[in-house]
Every structure is written in C-alpha cells, then in structure tokens.
Amino acid sequence: MQTHKLSYEEYQETFAAPMLDVSQTAEPVLDIWLYVEAVPESDLEGFRLLDGIVRYVYQSPSGQYIHVSVSTDDENAFLVVVIDLYLVKIIGHYLLDLVTLYDLNSTEEI
C-alpha cells in the first residue's frame, strides 16, 4: 500500500480551529490499519506505534477532514492519519510530536 507523508503545510491545510473532539462518537468510515502498517519506520522518527490504539479523533469544523491519532510509545507523539470525508479516502499521515511542536523541553522561565 502506498502512503503519503504530509508536510507540515499539507497537514495544516486539513486543520482549522476549533477542531472538534469526536473521539467518543466517531464511527469508522474506513479501515486505517493496513495504511498504518505500511507507514515507513523512518516516518516515525524513532517512535514506536502501540498496536491498534487510537487515542483521539478530531474533525475539522467544515466536516471535511478527520484526524485519527494513533498512539505511540510516547504520550506526546501521535501518528495522525488524515481522512478526507468528502472523498472517503486517506490523504496521508503526519507525525505529531507535541514536545517538539510546542518546545516543551525548553528550560526557559516564563
């Protein structure tokens, strides 16, 4: 199966505030697991996926995109599989590393 690693810009094109947390109510629209298994290890940047664990599901306000956050061995990093609900297909994946994104390792005093 072919996968597509989304750039930060491509990922942001599917993101709009406020994303709606639909983790408790979302129904699977397609099976993501063959796609997840096909993601190259290099795209995980050293993180390891936890088998079959979806931590969060968010939907864009327009209703077009679903972000399925697959858990890794780090509670602050997720493999986000982005689904276009209009096309009913996976458009790609993005490694969401919250520590890096929000500079949570910074020792600066605020």
Side-chain angles (χ1 to χ4, degrees), residues 15 18-23 26 55-60 65-69 81:
F15 183 92
M19 294 291 281
L20 309 169
D21 184 349
V22 295
S23 303
R55 185 76 171 275
Y56 304 106
V57 180
Y58 288 97
Q59 186 170 6
S60 64
Y65 299 106
I66 289 278
H67 289 192
V68 181
S69 300
V81 177

Side-chain angles (χ1 to χ4, degrees), residues 13-87:
E13 288 175 11
T14 69
F15 183 92
M19 294 291 281
L20 309 169
D21 184 349
V22 295
S23 303
Q24 301 301 315
T25 59
E27 295 289 328
V29 291
L30 41 89
D31 186 351
I32 65 166
W33 299 111
L34 286 176
Y35 182 93
V36 169
E37 290 173 6
V39 170
E41 195 172 313
S42 60
D43 288 2
L44 299 175
E45 299 176 15
F47 295 105
R48 198 173 41 81
L49 295 177
L50 299 182
D51 289 337
I53 299 177
V54 171
R55 185 76 171 275
Y56 304 106
V57 180
Y58 288 97
Q59 186 170 6
S60 64
S62 70
Q64 182 172 2
Y65 299 106
I66 289 278
H67 289 192
V68 181
S69 300
V70 178
S71 293
T72 70
D73 56 349
D74 183 315
E75 65 182 14
N76 294 308
F78 302 92
L79 178 69
V80 179
V81 177
V82 180
I83 300 170
D84 185 320
L85 290 177
Y86 295 173
L87 300 175

Side-chain angles (χ1 to χ4, degrees), residues 86-104:
Y86 295 173
L87 300 175
V88 190
K89 74 175 212 171
I90 295 171
I91 60 169
H93 63 276
Y94 182 76
L95 183 67
L96 181 60
D97 179 356
L98 299 173
V99 171
T100 301
L101 183 63
Y102 295 112
D103 196 24
L104 299 179

